Every structure is written in C-alpha cells, then in structure tokens.
Amino acid sequence: GDSVTQMEGPVTLSEEAFLTINCTYTATGYPSLFWYVQYPGEGLQLLLKATKADDKGSNKGFEATYRKETTSFHLEKGSVQVSDSAVYFCALKKTSYDKVIFGPGTSLSVIP
Amino acid sequence: DVKVTQSSRYLVKRTGEKVFLECVQDMDHENMFWYRQDPGLGLRLIYFSYDVKMKEKGDIPEGYSVSREKKERFSLILESASTNQTSMYLCASSWDTSGRAPNEQFFGPGTRLTVL
C-alpha cells in the first residue's frame, strides 16, 4: 500500500544551521505531496506543498522539490531559528477521495 | 483565513462516560476528518465525512462514532470512554477537488482528552 517514510529524529540543531529532513514515499499514480508543521500544543498546519513532479514548494524559508525519479520530497532550510522548533510531517494524497498518508513526524529542536 | 475550531482544548472524563468532541469549520468545506495522535504512533484516522450525513470509517473506528448533521460541524462521540482513548484528538477539513489535484487539510488546535 501507499506509505511515507521520514527520519524520525529527534533532530537537534544550533541556530542558523542548515536543515534537511528526508522524506520518501511509495505510491501508485501521481500523488500530491505536503509538509505540515506542528508547533508545541497546537494542531498541524500546512507548511508547503507540490502537486506534480519537479514542482518546488516553498514557504517561510523552507523548500522541498517533488522528485518522482527518487520518490522523494526532502525538506530544507538554509538557516534555522529557535522558532522553527516543532514536529514536521511529510504526507501524500492521491485524489480528493483518498486518505492522507502521513509520515511518522520528525521532531526538530533548535538551540540558541 | 480558514478556521477550524474544536470545542475544548483539554477535557478530563471518567471511564464509562459518553464524550462528545465538537469540530466546526467556517469555510464551507465538504470534507471533514477526525484523527487521534499518540506518541510513537503518529496520526491515525478515526472517521471522515465527504458530505452532510455521510460518514466513512477510517483506520481505527472501534469505540467511536460520528455525526454530521450540518456541513460545518462534525462531532466525534465516545459512547463509553475507556482509558485507552486518552489521546490528542485532531479535527481537519478540506475542499472537494474532484478531478483536480488534491489540496491540503486544515487542522483545528486539538483536544487533549484524558480518561481516568
């Protein structure tokens, strides 16, 4: 069945470090791909998305490129801040009537 | 901005009680979802609904039921709460994008339920 795999962490970085969170997926067809972020004590919110191969999603300095050849959607940020400390979820969805498939989440802590 | 609200942020109930968790969205979304989130298990889908009065079982529906009498409101019901239902419950909603690329879900802030 369809699935999403991501590094679970926890990941601890110093402020201004470069961030990569790997995400790979298994799915038939052409899913849309998403990164959600969950700040402490809150629900999930969309960080960025890409709906077709080679699309790049970007928001708040974060980027991810939909790579169909490697079935990947890695999240990157050039310089993290303490306020980026959160749990990050990679997810896919194939059609409006399919369930969202979430990865297990990656906990990120950024220390000053 | 899309807003999804949940009736309580924190709730404490006793074993055997009937528990209602309410979710309301203000963007006329067709689709609504209930998840539970537990450490080490990620998000698991309990029930979802694609239209008023429609409901579909998710991955873990046992011990839960739902009600969607109005488009904007989706209720999760624990008929007889048990300690293993202590969890964070997240509601979400989305537009129907039939025939087009699916879009994102919008989440509420969550209800942390403790069953004693």
Side-chain angles (χ1 to χ4, degrees), chain A residues 20-111:
Chain A
T20 299
I21 300 177
N22 289 336
C23 171
T24 57
Y25 68 90
T26 301
T28 57
Y30 303 93
S32 291
L33 302 176
F34 307 88
W35 276 102
Y36 288 87
V37 59
Q38 185 178 31
Y39 298 104
E42 298 183 13
L44 280 70
Q45 55 185 272
L46 180 72
L47 181 59
L48 53 84
K49 67 179 181 183
T51 59
K52 60 183 188 296
D54 300 324
D55 268 1
K56 178 187 280 188
S58 61
N59 186 26
K60 299 181 182 179
F62 291 89
E63 292 183 342
T65 301
Y66 189 164
R67 302 285 188 202
K68 190 158 179 64
E69 64 275 13
T70 54
T71 62
S72 65
F73 193 53
H74 305 320
L75 183 68
E76 297 182 336
K77 187 176 185 183
S79 176
V80 293
Q81 305 300 313
V82 171
S83 57
D84 293 327
S85 298
V87 180
Y88 294 82
F89 293 89
C90 186
L92 70 83
K93 195 173 197 294
K94 291 196 294 189
T95 72
S96 186
Y97 296 105
D98 286 320
K99 297 184 298 185
V100 176
I101 307 297
F102 287 94
T106 300
S107 175
L108 170 67
S109 292
V110 181
I111 55 177

Side-chain angles (χ1 to χ4, degrees), chain A residues 36 44 91-93 98-102, chain B residues 6 21 32-38 42-48 58-60 64 74 76 87-94 105-108 110-111:
Chain A
Y36 288 87
L44 280 70
L92 70 83
K93 195 173 197 294
D98 286 320
K99 297 184 298 185
V100 176
I101 307 297
F102 287 94
Chain B
Q6 296 184 229
L21 302 182
M32 296 190 75
F33 309 83
W34 274 106
Y35 296 89
R36 63 177 284 177
Q37 183 179 23
D38 301 287
L43 277 82
R44 293 181 290 169
L45 182 64
I46 305 171
Y47 267 96
F48 58 104
D59 299 317
I60 51 163
Y64 303 94
F74 192 36
L76 180 69
S87 185
M88 169 73 92
Y89 290 87
L90 295 169
C91 175
S93 68
S94 67
Q105 295 185 349
F106 295 84
F107 284 81
T111 296

Side-chain angles (χ1 to χ4, degrees), chain B residues 52-97:
Chain B
V52 176
K53 297 197 185 292
M54 287 183 61
K55 60 184 179 183
E56 298 283 344
K57 292 180 180 178
D59 299 317
I60 51 163
E62 297 78 19
Y64 303 94
S65 62
V66 290
S67 171
R68 193 165 180 203
E69 296 296 319
K70 293 185 177 181
K71 191 174 185 180
E72 67 271 18
R73 187 180 298 269
F74 192 36
S75 303
L76 180 69
I77 304 154
L78 287 66
E79 295 289 344
S80 178
S82 63
T83 54
N84 63 12
Q85 292 179 310
T86 291
S87 185
M88 169 73 92
Y89 290 87
L90 295 169
C91 175
S93 68
S94 67
W95 283 289
D96 176 6
T97 59

